[in-house]
Amino acid sequence: MNPHDIVGNSGEGVENELIKDLREILRRERSYASFFAIAGDKQGTEVGVVSDWVVSRFEDGGSCFVTWEHLENPRDPPDLVLTDREGRRHGIEVTELVDGPTISAHATNTSDEFKEYDEPELHRLITKRVARKVNHKFKEGTYASRTLLIYSDEPSIAEGAGIDILSHLPKVQLSYFDEIWFVLPPAVSIGDTPAGNRNCRIYSLKEGSSEGVSCRKFTPPALPNPAGSSW
């Protein structure tokens, strides 16, 4: 059946609008490095990244946070404010690391090549993103903690040599942010080898944020706990 026939027979109303929305989502859907990206939905993408990070970062999956608020321009940054049981506000800023020209090449079917990153380039791109975000201070009051999440589904980082590079990058020594994390999709199963933990993988990029972070779920020994969160 032709999709145009569905629209023609559905008449006006909710069903017609849902079909239009579905068409728009499919039109915008990204064909490259798309694990985190929700087509045309900045809020959904940012909330999804933070949700994935929270599950991987905290032992209780983030149940210590009682409210989540997404901030839009001109209220942001941060992108999200999480409030814990003790009423403390935690600001989370989100940014993506992906190669724009490669996205365009895949979208126009002019190339199916992946972007490759070496250690100097990856370090430069991360440093650039941190510096840019540091220059935009959080608005709307005070925060118990400030966190920057850099997320990526670049194949050469998520499943290639980038994993080893991330593990050995120099840590950020001083920063406006209390914690800086690189967020990757869950590991992919290869053949008969299971991927293991299905949480997103997180890597600490800031000195003092954590110890022993690997591609597995990281549980900080002292936070949070059922009584509250202390970052």
Side-chain angles (χ1 to χ4, degrees), residues 36 49 53 92-98 122 125-133 147-153 157 166 172 179-184 201-203 205:
F36 296 103
V49 171
W53 170 76
I92 317 291
E93 183 69 2
V94 180
T95 188
E96 184 176 21
L97 195 157
V98 67
L122 188 55
L125 291 171
I126 289 173
T127 301
K128 181 178 179 180
R129 279 159 176 76
V130 172
R132 184 171 66 236
K133 292 299 182 179
T147 299
L148 174 62
L149 305 181
I150 303 172
Y151 69 95
S152 182
D153 186 28
I157 300 177
L166 280 174
V172 177
E179 298 193 11
I180 303 173
W181 296 86
F182 202 97
V183 184
L184 293 173
R201 293 164 292 169
I202 59 174
Y203 293 81
L205 300 178

Short mmCIF file of all heavy atoms in Angstrom, two decimals, residues 36 49 53 92-98 122 125-133 147-153 157 166 172 179-184 201-203 205:
data_model
loop_
_atom_site.label_atom_id
_atom_site.label_comp_id
_atom_site.label_asym_id
_atom_site.label_seq_id
_atom_site.Cartn_x
_atom_site.Cartn_y
_atom_site.Cartn_z
N PHE A 36 22.41 7.93 19.52
CA PHE A 36 21.81 8.86 20.48
C PHE A 36 20.86 9.86 19.82
O PHE A 36 20.01 10.43 20.50
CB PHE A 36 22.91 9.64 21.20
CG PHE A 36 23.81 8.80 22.06
CD1 PHE A 36 25.09 8.47 21.63
CD2 PHE A 36 23.40 8.34 23.30
CE1 PHE A 36 25.94 7.70 22.41
CE2 PHE A 36 24.23 7.57 24.10
CZ PHE A 36 25.50 7.25 23.65
N VAL A 49 20.55 11.09 26.43
CA VAL A 49 21.97 10.97 26.77
C VAL A 49 22.16 11.03 28.28
O VAL A 49 22.89 10.21 28.86
CB VAL A 49 22.79 12.07 26.08
CG1 VAL A 49 24.23 12.09 26.61
CG2 VAL A 49 22.79 11.88 24.56
N TRP A 53 23.59 8.12 30.79
CA TRP A 53 24.74 8.38 31.65
C TRP A 53 24.40 8.10 33.12
O TRP A 53 25.19 7.48 33.84
CB TRP A 53 25.20 9.83 31.49
CG TRP A 53 26.21 10.26 32.51
CD1 TRP A 53 27.54 9.95 32.55
CD2 TRP A 53 25.98 11.10 33.64
NE1 TRP A 53 28.14 10.54 33.63
CE2 TRP A 53 27.20 11.25 34.32
CE3 TRP A 53 24.84 11.75 34.14
CZ2 TRP A 53 27.33 12.02 35.48
CZ3 TRP A 53 24.96 12.51 35.29
CH2 TRP A 53 26.19 12.63 35.96
N ILE A 92 23.53 19.57 34.21
CA ILE A 92 24.16 18.68 33.23
C ILE A 92 24.13 19.36 31.87
O ILE A 92 23.06 19.70 31.35
CB ILE A 92 23.42 17.33 33.12
CG1 ILE A 92 23.03 16.78 34.50
CG2 ILE A 92 24.27 16.34 32.32
CD1 ILE A 92 24.17 16.34 35.34
N GLU A 93 25.29 19.55 31.28
CA GLU A 93 25.41 20.11 29.94
C GLU A 93 25.83 18.99 28.98
O GLU A 93 26.66 18.13 29.32
CB GLU A 93 26.44 21.24 29.91
CG GLU A 93 26.59 21.93 28.57
CD GLU A 93 25.39 22.74 28.14
OE1 GLU A 93 24.41 22.82 28.91
OE2 GLU A 93 25.44 23.31 27.04
N VAL A 94 25.24 18.98 27.79
CA VAL A 94 25.42 17.88 26.84
C VAL A 94 25.93 18.43 25.51
O VAL A 94 25.43 19.44 25.02
CB VAL A 94 24.08 17.14 26.62
CG1 VAL A 94 24.27 16.00 25.63
CG2 VAL A 94 23.53 16.62 27.94
N THR A 95 26.91 17.73 24.92
CA THR A 95 27.40 18.13 23.60
C THR A 95 27.85 16.88 22.85
O THR A 95 28.27 15.89 23.45
CB THR A 95 28.56 19.15 23.70
OG1 THR A 95 28.87 19.64 22.40
CG2 THR A 95 29.80 18.52 24.30
N GLU A 96 27.77 16.93 21.53
CA GLU A 96 28.10 15.76 20.71
C GLU A 96 29.46 15.93 20.02
O GLU A 96 29.84 17.04 19.65
CB GLU A 96 27.03 15.54 19.63
CG GLU A 96 27.26 14.29 18.79
CD GLU A 96 26.17 14.02 17.79
OE1 GLU A 96 25.43 14.97 17.43
OE2 GLU A 96 26.04 12.87 17.34
N LEU A 97 30.16 14.82 19.86
CA LEU A 97 31.36 14.80 19.05
C LEU A 97 31.07 13.91 17.84
O LEU A 97 30.94 12.68 17.97
CB LEU A 97 32.55 14.26 19.84
CG LEU A 97 33.94 14.51 19.21
CD1 LEU A 97 35.03 14.46 20.28
CD2 LEU A 97 34.25 13.50 18.11
N VAL A 98 30.92 14.55 16.68
CA VAL A 98 30.64 13.83 15.44
C VAL A 98 31.15 14.68 14.29
O VAL A 98 31.21 15.91 14.39
CB VAL A 98 29.13 13.52 15.29
CG1 VAL A 98 28.34 14.80 15.09
CG2 VAL A 98 28.86 12.52 14.17
N LEU A 122 41.57 13.58 18.42
CA LEU A 122 40.50 13.35 19.38
C LEU A 122 40.71 14.22 20.63
O LEU A 122 39.76 14.81 21.16
CB LEU A 122 40.45 11.88 19.77
CG LEU A 122 39.25 11.45 20.63
CD1 LEU A 122 37.94 11.83 19.98
CD2 LEU A 122 39.30 9.94 20.89
N LEU A 125 39.75 17.83 19.73
CA LEU A 125 38.31 18.04 19.61
C LEU A 125 37.63 18.04 20.97
O LEU A 125 36.71 18.84 21.22
CB LEU A 125 37.70 16.95 18.72
CG LEU A 125 38.09 17.02 17.24
CD1 LEU A 125 37.61 15.78 16.50
CD2 LEU A 125 37.51 18.29 16.60
N ILE A 126 38.06 17.17 21.87
CA ILE A 126 37.49 17.15 23.21
C ILE A 126 37.85 18.43 23.95
O ILE A 126 36.98 19.06 24.58
CB ILE A 126 38.00 15.91 23.98
CG1 ILE A 126 37.35 14.64 23.41
CG2 ILE A 126 37.69 16.04 25.48
CD1 ILE A 126 37.90 13.36 23.99
N THR A 127 39.12 18.83 23.86
CA THR A 127 39.57 20.06 24.53
C THR A 127 38.79 21.27 24.01
O THR A 127 38.40 22.15 24.79
CB THR A 127 41.07 20.28 24.30
OG1 THR A 127 41.78 19.15 24.81
CG2 THR A 127 41.55 21.54 24.99
N LYS A 128 38.54 21.31 22.72
CA LYS A 128 37.79 22.41 22.11
C LYS A 128 36.37 22.47 22.65
O LYS A 128 35.85 23.55 22.96
CB LYS A 128 37.77 22.24 20.59
CG LYS A 128 37.05 23.34 19.85
CD LYS A 128 37.14 23.11 18.34
CE LYS A 128 36.39 24.20 17.58
NZ LYS A 128 36.47 23.97 16.10
N ARG A 129 35.73 21.31 22.79
CA ARG A 129 34.36 21.28 23.29
C ARG A 129 34.30 21.69 24.76
O ARG A 129 33.39 22.39 25.18
CB ARG A 129 33.75 19.90 23.07
CG ARG A 129 33.24 19.71 21.66
CD ARG A 129 33.11 18.25 21.27
NE ARG A 129 32.53 18.13 19.94
CZ ARG A 129 33.19 18.36 18.81
NH1 ARG A 129 34.45 18.73 18.86
NH2 ARG A 129 32.59 18.23 17.64
N VAL A 130 35.25 21.23 25.54
CA VAL A 130 35.28 21.62 26.95
C VAL A 130 35.45 23.13 27.08
O VAL A 130 34.74 23.79 27.83
CB VAL A 130 36.41 20.88 27.70
CG1 VAL A 130 36.55 21.43 29.12
CG2 VAL A 130 36.14 19.38 27.74
N ALA A 131 36.39 23.69 26.32
CA ALA A 131 36.66 25.13 26.38
C ALA A 131 35.44 25.94 25.99
O ALA A 131 35.11 26.97 26.61
CB ALA A 131 37.84 25.48 25.48
N ARG A 132 34.75 25.50 24.95
CA ARG A 132 33.56 26.22 24.50
C ARG A 132 32.47 26.21 25.57
O ARG A 132 31.80 27.22 25.81
CB ARG A 132 33.03 25.61 23.20
CG ARG A 132 31.85 26.39 22.61
CD ARG A 132 31.49 25.89 21.23
NE ARG A 132 30.98 24.52 21.26
CZ ARG A 132 31.49 23.52 20.58
NH1 ARG A 132 32.56 23.71 19.82
NH2 ARG A 132 30.95 22.32 20.64
N LYS A 133 32.29 25.08 26.21
CA LYS A 133 31.25 24.98 27.23
C LYS A 133 31.62 25.75 28.50
O LYS A 133 30.75 26.29 29.19
CB LYS A 133 30.97 23.51 27.55
CG LYS A 133 30.31 22.74 26.42
CD LYS A 133 28.97 23.34 26.05
CE LYS A 133 28.28 22.55 24.95
NZ LYS A 133 26.95 23.12 24.61
N THR A 147 28.20 19.14 35.53
CA THR A 147 28.74 18.01 34.77
C THR A 147 28.61 18.28 33.28
O THR A 147 27.59 18.79 32.81
CB THR A 147 27.99 16.71 35.12
OG1 THR A 147 28.16 16.43 36.51
CG2 THR A 147 28.50 15.54 34.30
N LEU A 148 29.66 17.93 32.54
CA LEU A 148 29.64 18.01 31.08
C LEU A 148 29.69 16.59 30.52
O LEU A 148 30.56 15.80 30.88
CB LEU A 148 30.84 18.81 30.57
CG LEU A 148 31.02 18.85 29.05
CD1 LEU A 148 29.83 19.51 28.36
CD2 LEU A 148 32.32 19.57 28.68
N LEU A 149 28.76 16.29 29.62
CA LEU A 149 28.73 15.00 28.93
C LEU A 149 29.03 15.23 27.45
O LEU A 149 28.36 16.01 26.78
CB LEU A 149 27.36 14.33 29.07
CG LEU A 149 26.83 14.12 30.48
CD1 LEU A 149 25.48 13.42 30.44
CD2 LEU A 149 27.82 13.33 31.33
N ILE A 150 30.06 14.54 26.96
CA ILE A 150 30.38 14.56 25.53
C ILE A 150 30.02 13.17 25.00
O ILE A 150 30.60 12.17 25.43
CB ILE A 150 31.87 14.85 25.29
CG1 ILE A 150 32.27 16.18 25.93
CG2 ILE A 150 32.17 14.86 23.80
CD1 ILE A 150 33.75 16.47 25.90
N TYR A 151 29.05 13.12 24.11
CA TYR A 151 28.59 11.82 23.64
C TYR A 151 28.95 11.63 22.17
O TYR A 151 29.10 12.60 21.40
CB TYR A 151 27.08 11.65 23.85
CG TYR A 151 26.20 12.52 22.99
CD1 TYR A 151 25.67 12.05 21.79
CD2 TYR A 151 25.87 13.82 23.38
CE1 TYR A 151 24.85 12.84 21.01
CE2 TYR A 151 25.05 14.63 22.61
CZ TYR A 151 24.54 14.13 21.42
OH TYR A 151 23.73 14.93 20.65
N SER A 152 29.10 10.36 21.77
CA SER A 152 29.45 10.07 20.38
C SER A 152 29.09 8.65 20.02
O SER A 152 29.21 7.73 20.85
CB SER A 152 30.95 10.28 20.16
OG SER A 152 31.29 10.04 18.80
N ASP A 153 28.66 8.48 18.78
CA ASP A 153 28.47 7.16 18.20
C ASP A 153 29.34 7.00 16.96
O ASP A 153 29.01 6.25 16.05
CB ASP A 153 26.99 6.93 17.86
CG ASP A 153 26.70 5.52 17.39
OD1 ASP A 153 27.45 4.60 17.80
OD2 ASP A 153 25.76 5.31 16.60
N ILE A 157 35.40 5.45 17.08
CA ILE A 157 35.61 5.70 18.51
C ILE A 157 34.89 4.65 19.33
O ILE A 157 35.44 4.05 20.24
CB ILE A 157 35.12 7.10 18.91
CG1 ILE A 157 35.87 8.17 18.14
CG2 ILE A 157 35.28 7.31 20.42
CD1 ILE A 157 35.39 9.59 18.42
N LEU A 166 40.67 6.77 24.22
CA LEU A 166 39.92 7.39 25.32
C LEU A 166 40.49 6.99 26.67
O LEU A 166 40.55 7.79 27.61
CB LEU A 166 38.45 7.00 25.25
CG LEU A 166 37.57 7.76 24.26
CD1 LEU A 166 36.17 7.13 24.22
CD2 LEU A 166 37.47 9.23 24.61
N VAL A 172 41.61 16.19 32.09
CA VAL A 172 41.47 17.63 32.27
C VAL A 172 41.79 17.94 33.73
O VAL A 172 41.19 17.37 34.65
CB VAL A 172 40.03 18.09 31.94
CG1 VAL A 172 39.87 19.58 32.21
CG2 VAL A 172 39.71 17.77 30.48
N GLU A 179 32.63 17.33 36.92
CA GLU A 179 32.84 16.06 36.25
C GLU A 179 32.69 16.25 34.74
O GLU A 179 31.83 17.01 34.28
CB GLU A 179 31.84 14.99 36.73
CG GLU A 179 31.95 14.67 38.21
CD GLU A 179 31.18 13.41 38.57
OE1 GLU A 179 30.74 12.69 37.65
OE2 GLU A 179 31.02 13.15 39.77
N ILE A 180 33.53 15.55 33.98
CA ILE A 180 33.45 15.54 32.52
C ILE A 180 33.51 14.09 32.08
O ILE A 180 34.43 13.36 32.44
CB ILE A 180 34.59 16.34 31.88
CG1 ILE A 180 34.61 17.79 32.39
CG2 ILE A 180 34.46 16.32 30.35
CD1 ILE A 180 35.81 18.59 31.92
N TRP A 181 32.53 13.67 31.29
CA TRP A 181 32.44 12.28 30.88
C TRP A 181 32.27 12.16 29.37
O TRP A 181 31.59 12.98 28.74
CB TRP A 181 31.25 11.58 31.55
CG TRP A 181 31.36 11.48 33.04
CD1 TRP A 181 30.99 12.42 33.97
CD2 TRP A 181 31.87 10.38 33.78
NE1 TRP A 181 31.25 11.97 35.23
CE2 TRP A 181 31.78 10.71 35.16
CE3 TRP A 181 32.39 9.13 33.42
CZ2 TRP A 181 32.20 9.85 36.16
CZ3 TRP A 181 32.80 8.27 34.43
CH2 TRP A 181 32.71 8.64 35.79
N PHE A 182 32.85 11.13 28.80
CA PHE A 182 32.63 10.77 27.41
C PHE A 182 31.67 9.58 27.41
O PHE A 182 31.92 8.58 28.08
CB PHE A 182 33.94 10.39 26.72
CG PHE A 182 33.91 10.53 25.23
CD1 PHE A 182 34.39 11.68 24.63
CD2 PHE A 182 33.37 9.52 24.44
CE1 PHE A 182 34.35 11.82 23.25
CE2 PHE A 182 33.33 9.66 23.06
CZ PHE A 182 33.82 10.81 22.46
N VAL A 183 30.57 9.70 26.67
CA VAL A 183 29.51 8.69 26.69
C VAL A 183 29.44 7.99 25.34
O VAL A 183 29.32 8.64 24.29
CB VAL A 183 28.14 9.32 27.02
CG1 VAL A 183 27.07 8.24 27.13
CG2 VAL A 183 28.22 10.14 28.31
N LEU A 184 29.52 6.67 25.37
CA LEU A 184 29.45 5.85 24.16
C LEU A 184 28.28 4.87 24.25
O LEU A 184 27.83 4.53 25.36
CB LEU A 184 30.74 5.05 23.98
CG LEU A 184 32.01 5.83 23.68
CD1 LEU A 184 33.21 4.88 23.72
CD2 LEU A 184 31.92 6.51 22.33
N ARG A 201 28.58 3.01 27.76
CA ARG A 201 29.93 3.04 28.34
C ARG A 201 30.32 4.49 28.61
O ARG A 201 30.06 5.37 27.79
CB ARG A 201 30.91 2.39 27.38
CG ARG A 201 30.66 0.90 27.20
CD ARG A 201 31.37 0.38 25.97
NE ARG A 201 30.77 0.91 24.75
CZ ARG A 201 31.32 0.78 23.54
NH1 ARG A 201 32.48 0.17 23.40
NH2 ARG A 201 30.72 1.28 22.47
N ILE A 202 30.93 4.72 29.76
CA ILE A 202 31.30 6.08 30.14
C ILE A 202 32.78 6.13 30.53
O ILE A 202 33.29 5.21 31.17
CB ILE A 202 30.42 6.63 31.28
CG1 ILE A 202 30.51 5.76 32.52
CG2 ILE A 202 28.97 6.77 30.83
CD1 ILE A 202 29.76 6.33 33.73
N TYR A 203 33.44 7.20 30.14
CA TYR A 203 34.86 7.40 30.42
C TYR A 203 35.04 8.76 31.07
O TYR A 203 34.61 9.78 30.53
CB TYR A 203 35.68 7.32 29.14
CG TYR A 203 35.71 5.95 28.52
CD1 TYR A 203 34.64 5.52 27.74
CD2 TYR A 203 36.78 5.08 28.72
CE1 TYR A 203 34.64 4.24 27.17
CE2 TYR A 203 36.79 3.82 28.15
CZ TYR A 203 35.72 3.41 27.39
OH TYR A 203 35.72 2.15 26.83
N LEU A 205 36.86 12.06 31.93
CA LEU A 205 37.86 12.89 31.26
C LEU A 205 38.47 13.93 32.17
O LEU A 205 39.34 14.69 31.75
CB LEU A 205 37.24 13.60 30.04
CG LEU A 205 36.66 12.69 28.95
CD1 LEU A 205 36.04 13.54 27.85
CD2 LEU A 205 37.74 11.77 28.38
#
